[in-house]
Each structure stands twice: as structure tokens, then as C-alpha cells.
Amino acid sequence: MIIAAALLLKNNIDENTAAGEASEELLTEVIEQMPEVVLEPEVSGPMPAVSVEGRSFVGTVEIPSLGLLLPVQDQWSNDNAKVSPCRYKGSAYDNDLIVCGHNYAEHFGTLNELEMGAEVVFTDMSGRSFYYVVTNIESLGAYDIEEMEAGEWDLTLFTCTVGGANRVTVRCEATGKMSETGAVPDVLEAAKNSHHTR
């Protein structure tokens, strides 16, 4: 039993390390494809995406209070989630974006430490940052998909709890603040200060 527990612990540590290294490398390449100035805003339709190492990315998510800046892939799959958070559903343009990630320490593993009013920033691949504040944190059942997608939330972030029985679910409301067209993308400055791009 002790040996099995030790092997499981080692496997979890190895997975966390690999996930952190993968997201760091991918973030660097995603940031490199950001424009030097914020482009004209999209008002509808799919969010623009870029290809990095055969994966499609729609932007980044930053949670300053947790020290996180992570690339966001266009579509969720178990394989995709092993290297970075993914768009589960929705769009920043339609105020219904849902982003999911594994509970790796370097991904969404500390979502449960967020406090009400904390800032969250999503930046699309046109360089435009959308600013949100955390307004609700709840725990949902692992298979409670209807509840996950319910409500008028502008942004939802979620991850599984240890053991996977529930989902830590963070609901956010848009503040109305966005990057201005023609300005230097906010995420470029954030990337300079992030350990994820060193």
C-alpha cells in the first residue's frame, strides 16, 4: 500500500511538472503571435485562433492574484487539457466564455484560493484584453453539465477537485474594461512579469 501510494504521488508530481513545462513553452509561442498593437475588435463570430505545435489557441487567461498567465486552447479534450486550459464553450464576444483546466498546480489547481472581487483577464489573439471580476465560487457535481452552463455569467473557469468528484467553479462578471484598439496589448506587459514565460 505504501509503495503504491508513493508511486501514485510520484506520478502526480511528474504530471504536474510536465503540465507546467508544457504550458510555459506554449504560452511563449502564443505570446509571440500576439500583434504588436490591439487590432480592430471582433463583434461576433468565432474568436481568432493561432496554431502552435499542432494545437489551436484562442488567447490567454491571466489571474494576477494567483500568479497565473496561461494559454487557452480552442477546444477541450483530455489530451489538450494535459498541456493547458481549454475553451469548453462560448466566446468572450458573446459574454458566455467557459474555460476549463486540470487541477495541476501550474494550471487551475489553486482556483479554490480565489477571493470574491479578484481580477481575471482573458486576452484574445487580436491582442484585446477583456477584464472580469470574480462574483461567485461554487462546487458542482462532476457530471452536472446543465448547471455548469446555466446562468448569465460572462466568464466561467472550472477545474476538478482532488479525486474528481466535484468541480470548483468560478463565475465572473465583465467590468466593461477592454484594451483600446491601437494600444500595446496588456498581455505583453503581463508576460514580461510572468514566471510562465521565463
Side-chain angles (χ1 to χ4, degrees):
M1 291 283 286
I2 294 174
I3 293 174
L7 289 173
L8 180 61
L9 178 61
K10 182 183 183 306
N11 181 66
N12 289 342
I13 291 172
D14 290 346
E15 276 193 21
N16 273 292
T17 301
E21 291 173 351
S23 61
E24 185 171 341
E25 291 174 12
L26 292 166
L27 175 65
T28 298
E29 295 187 53
V30 167
I31 293 295
E32 287 175 354
Q33 294 194 52
M34 286 284 176
E36 293 183 3
V37 297
V38 178
L39 305 179
E40 284 289 333
E42 299 285 341
V43 293
S44 63
M47 293 184 290
V50 298
S51 179
V52 176
E53 298 182 15
R55 299 177 188 273
S56 181
F57 290 83
V58 291
T60 64
V61 63
E62 180 188 5
I63 309 175
S65 65
L66 298 181
L68 293 177
L69 176 60
L70 298 162
V72 177
Q73 292 181 73
D74 184 35
Q75 293 185 341
W76 180 90
S77 74
N78 193 45
D79 178 61
N80 284 346
K82 288 181 179 179
V83 297
S84 83
C86 307
R87 183 178 71 93
Y88 178 77
K89 188 177 181 181
S91 167
Y93 309 149
D94 297 328
N95 298 314
D96 61 358
L97 181 60
I98 301 176
V99 177
C100 64
H102 275 315
N103 64 355
Y104 302 132
E106 293 286 332
H107 289 184
F108 280 179
T110 54
L111 279 188
N112 63 335
E113 297 176 14
L114 272 174
E115 296 182 358
M116 304 294 279
E119 182 178 72
V120 179
V121 185
F122 175 81
T123 302
D124 71 7
M125 290 311 303
S126 71
R128 183 169 304 275
S129 292
F130 299 79
Y131 287 78
Y132 306 86
V133 292
V134 174
T135 55
N136 188 47
I137 301 174
E138 58 187 324
S139 180
L140 299 177
Y143 303 103
D144 200 347
I145 296 171
E146 286 187 18
E147 186 64 24
M148 178 65 67
E149 298 176 358
E152 300 294 321
W153 304 105
D154 298 319
L155 173 67
T156 295
L157 309 174
F158 75 92
T159 189
C160 58
T161 57
V162 176
N166 294 298
R167 300 286 181 261
V168 176
T169 307
V170 176
R171 310 290 197 176
C172 306
E173 290 183 4
T175 66
K177 178 183 175 184
M178 282 185 252
S179 305
E180 294 184 10
T181 301
V184 175
D186 299 341
V187 72
L188 298 185
E189 184 63 30
K192 290 179 185 177
N193 301 319
S194 172
H195 73 275
H196 290 273
T197 54
R198 291 180 189 153

